Amino acid sequence: MKDTDNKFNPSLLKREFAKIYGGTENEARIFSAPARINIIGEHIDYNGGKVLPAAIDKYLYVAVRLRPDTRVSYRDLKFPGLFDFDINDKFVFKKENDYANYLNGVLSVLKRKSGLIKSGFDALIASDIPPAGGISSSSALECGFAYAVNCLFNLNISRTDIALAGQESEHEFMNVKCGIMDQFIISTAKKDTAEFLDCATLEFEYVPLKLGDYVFVVMNTNKKRQLADSKYNERRSQCEAGLKTLQEAGIEIPNLCALSYAEFEKCAGIIKDPVIFSRVRHCVTENERVLEAVKAFKTGDLHNVGELLKASHKSLKEDYEVTGIELDTLTEAANAQEGCIGSRMTGAGFGGCAIALVRKDKTPSFVEAVQKAYTAVTGYNAGFFICTSGDGVKEITDAL
Ligand code: GLA
């Protein structure tokens, strides 16, 4: 189930690049950007919370080469469409530009910020990451591309600024008011670690991912979700409304996650709207779960990590209401299996993926049983793979 067979070989990208754009295979530079799982800390990055994501060993690749003129061309090996622009265009979101919108969004941010992007270039994309599957295919595209453009034009942008450019493009260009977690982990990840990130300050610490006899299994609902179409922005405004209510009542906090649970209990009565109350409670409790999970990883208490995953899912289901029948079925079935010590949805929810901590030797029976339970309820199959941790965005320079 390690699905190495399905992995894209980046050396193919050089060959395809030369076929599509001409020239020789060695003229294109190749960059990779990972997918991510969020181990715990969901929907709190935009509430000043702490999160614990990790990059995984599924990658998106971007091949780029400068052009002597001002034309900008994008192709993707999987998705149809020939996208051609001029570097001097005023880039705006257009539905018919499909995935090219992500690239144009990032390009316009980098152009504006650096003032150094004047010539055209060709780009070719390939990816192992399931699109719209909740493991950040779009942030991988943004950050992989931003990093490639950074290197191509010698912009010397820091990894934090690569992440911020991706986020800005989502906010301004794609109109998705996402937090910083996905772009940040993809830009700064280190193999064999998870990243304990404080989204209020962007300070972070790498936490060794020592899983012993366990692995993370990613379970894909195969229910496609689009952040923009979903209730993501609505959740964000509900949190803002909660924060405003507390601040107007004199509670001096910069964001919801600045409240400990004990402090929240004291001021909870201020929030009269039951929906807003539940959203705020999720943020406060989830932030505390992250702190506990980091401790549990550091002390090797994986069983407690598992319990925290379960509690996180419950809160996302009942208080934040972002799970749905598919994710609930997967996680319930997962938790019922021998060898699984906990599971939860990962990412924005509303479909997408869940993760489960499963004993290595139990993964075949685990997958079989969870698949059966899932199909019985939904009528279609889930996807499964075991993930290991991955590296953040980088140029691939080893012999391709
Ligand atoms: C999406 C967003 C992130 C984060 C998660 C939920 O993945 O891009 O910023 O808010 O949802 O935790």
Side-chain angles (χ1 to χ4, degrees), residues 212-250:
D213 292 337
Y214 288 82
V215 283
F216 273 114
V217 176
V218 178
M219 310 181 284
N220 190 343
T221 59
N222 284 329
K223 179 188 177 199
K224 293 278 177 272
R225 43 167 291 280
Q226 279 284 320
L227 274 185
D229 296 340
S230 71
K231 302 269 184 189
Y232 187 91
N233 289 348
E234 183 192 275
R235 293 295 181 281
R236 189 164 179 153
S237 358
Q238 289 167 336
C239 290
E240 281 159 12
L243 178 62
K244 194 160 167 250
T245 305
L246 291 172
Q247 288 170 333
E248 282 175 358

Side-chain angles (χ1 to χ4, degrees), residues 36 38 41-43 45-46 178-182 227 232 347-348:
R36 67 98 187 91
N38 184 18
E42 217 64 87
H43 282 282
D45 59 345
Y46 52 86
C178 66
I180 190 64
M181 172 175 73
D182 301 346
L227 274 185
Y232 187 91

Side-chain angles (χ1 to χ4, degrees), residues 248-285:
E248 282 175 358
I251 311 290
E252 290 180 14
I253 40 165
N255 54 59
L256 290 179
C257 292
L259 281 178
S260 67
Y261 187 66
E263 287 162 346
F264 167 71
E265 276 194 312
K266 279 189 214 139
C267 63
I270 296 169
I271 306 173
K272 303 286 179 227
D273 181 322
V275 172
I276 306 286
F277 176 86
S278 304
R279 305 298 189 244
V280 174
R281 180 167 58 188
H282 165 74
C283 296
V284 173
T285 57

Side-chain angles (χ1 to χ4, degrees), residues 40 50 196 286-296 308:
I40 196 157
K50 303 203 174 46
F196 178 37
E286 183 75 351
N287 198 49
E288 299 221 329
R289 281 186 286 272
V290 176
L291 303 180
E292 210 179 319
V294 170
K295 263 192 221 145
L308 292 162

Side-chain angles (χ1 to χ4, degrees), residues 300-321:
D301 187 356
L302 277 189
H303 281 269
N304 195 25
V305 171
E307 288 306 313
L308 292 162
L309 298 185
K310 291 182 197 165
S312 169
H313 188 90
K314 187 169 186 290
S315 178
L316 287 156
K317 177 183 176 188
E318 292 170 5
D319 274 352
Y320 219 66
E321 296 181 280

